Amino acid sequence: MDTSSVFAADCFLLAGRLLMQSGAETYRAEDTMLRMARSQGYQDAQSFVTPTGIIFSAGHESPTRIAQIPRRATDLSKIAEINTISRALTANQLSIEEAYDQLKALENKNLFRSELAQVIYAAIASGCFVILFMGSVWDMPAAAVAGGVGHWVCLRMNAITKVKFFAEFSASIVVGLLTLLALQLGLGLQEDKIIIGAVMPLVPGVPIANAVRDMMAGHFVSGVTKGAEASLTALAIGSGIAFVLILF
């Protein structure tokens, strides 16, 4: 067995796995792996990618490699870094050993903002969404507080339970309760605008867009799977808000 082809297959598979873990489209992961492989002379490379796993072979002389994808998040910065590495490799600006080392370093790098920064950004976005949906400026503070606290609850519950949908359900309950509290205290005017603005940071915008793009690219299995995941997230958010409004 050619050890160089095994190493190359590991490099290409690592790039695809990191892309899928970072929330990239299925067709992007497949295209990236195949472009990297063919730039290194593996013209018979084949790949099969799903949201939960990748099967890849660099050619007839290379063993088939399999990688599981147990967790996924949206990390556009990491996707951009992987694209930069793959383009440098295909342009012969990097050797395959250098590309692999950079991908391994990127695998262990956390490009997310701190939890505090994410909460602050979610609060700012929530307040701005109120205006976007034709709400009043007087509802912006209530939406900002509800959106920021709701996003913090989502992050904390996801870290504790590891169940994404339960975290979003819990966060939407908190958003609903804080909205009703703001109205009771006279700190808000329009209940619907505050709720809509506050839950927008929880809405799975990127997964929905990726599902549509995968469907358009012919990856129906991945497209339907990602669409179902985004729909469950939307259902969790809606159920949490409905739970509060029905009880209170």
Side-chain angles (χ1 to χ4, degrees), residues 10 95 189-190 209 216:
D10 287 340
S95 66
L189 301 175
Q190 297 174 290
M216 294 176 66

Side-chain angles (χ1 to χ4, degrees), residues 53 83 102 165 173 195:
N83 286 339
Q102 291 188 20
F165 306 113
I173 289 178
I195 290 176

Side-chain angles (χ1 to χ4, degrees), residues 5 28 30 32 48 80-81 101 126 130 168 191 228 241:
S5 65
R28 181 190 297 272
E30 285 194 351
T32 297
F48 178 73
E81 291 282 350
D101 290 340
S126 297
V130 171
E168 289 153 347
E191 178 185 89
I241 296 298

Side-chain angles (χ1 to χ4, degrees), residues 101-216:
D101 290 340
Q102 291 188 20
L103 288 170
K104 288 298 290 184
L106 188 61
E107 180 181 20
N108 301 318
K109 186 184 297 184
N110 182 14
L111 299 180
F112 282 108
R113 299 287 184 179
S114 66
E115 187 173 287
L116 177 60
Q118 293 183 54
V119 170
I120 292 174
Y121 296 152
I124 294 173
S126 297
C128 293
F129 275 120
V130 171
I131 301 300
L132 183 64
F133 289 104
M134 308 302 291
S136 170
V137 292
W138 302 107
D139 291 329
M140 290 180 65
V145 172
V149 175
H151 192 73
W152 178 79
V153 170
C154 185
L155 293 175
R156 288 289 84 215
M157 292 301 294
N158 193 37
I160 294 171
T161 65
K162 306 298 182 183
V163 180
K164 182 172 177 285
F165 306 113
F166 181 73
E168 289 153 347
F169 176 76
S170 302
S172 61
I173 289 178
V174 171
V175 167
L177 291 174
L178 289 176
T179 299
L180 295 181
L181 178 62
L183 293 173
Q184 289 291 326
L185 297 176
L187 301 177
L189 301 175
Q190 297 174 290
E191 178 185 89
D192 56 337
K193 297 299 190 297
I194 297 174
I195 290 176
I196 292 172
V199 300
M200 283 304 292
L202 303 175
V203 173
V206 173
I208 291 174
N210 285 350
V212 173
R213 294 182 70 177
D214 278 339
M215 292 284 285
M216 294 176 66

Side-chain angles (χ1 to χ4, degrees), residues 18 22 50 129 221:
L18 292 180
S22 302
T50 70
F129 275 120
V221 173

Side-chain angles (χ1 to χ4, degrees), residues 35-54:
R35 284 178 182 271
M36 292 174 68
R38 289 165 183 166
S39 72
Q40 302 303 304
Y42 298 97
Q43 301 299 326
D44 297 326
Q46 299 290 330
S47 66
F48 178 73
V49 180
T50 70
T52 56
I54 300 175

Side-chain angles (χ1 to χ4, degrees), residues 59-75:
H60 302 300
E61 302 299 323
S62 173
T64 299
R65 316 295 282 178
I66 301 175
Q68 186 181 18
I69 306 170
R71 55 183 175 80
R72 296 177 300 279
T74 301
D75 191 343

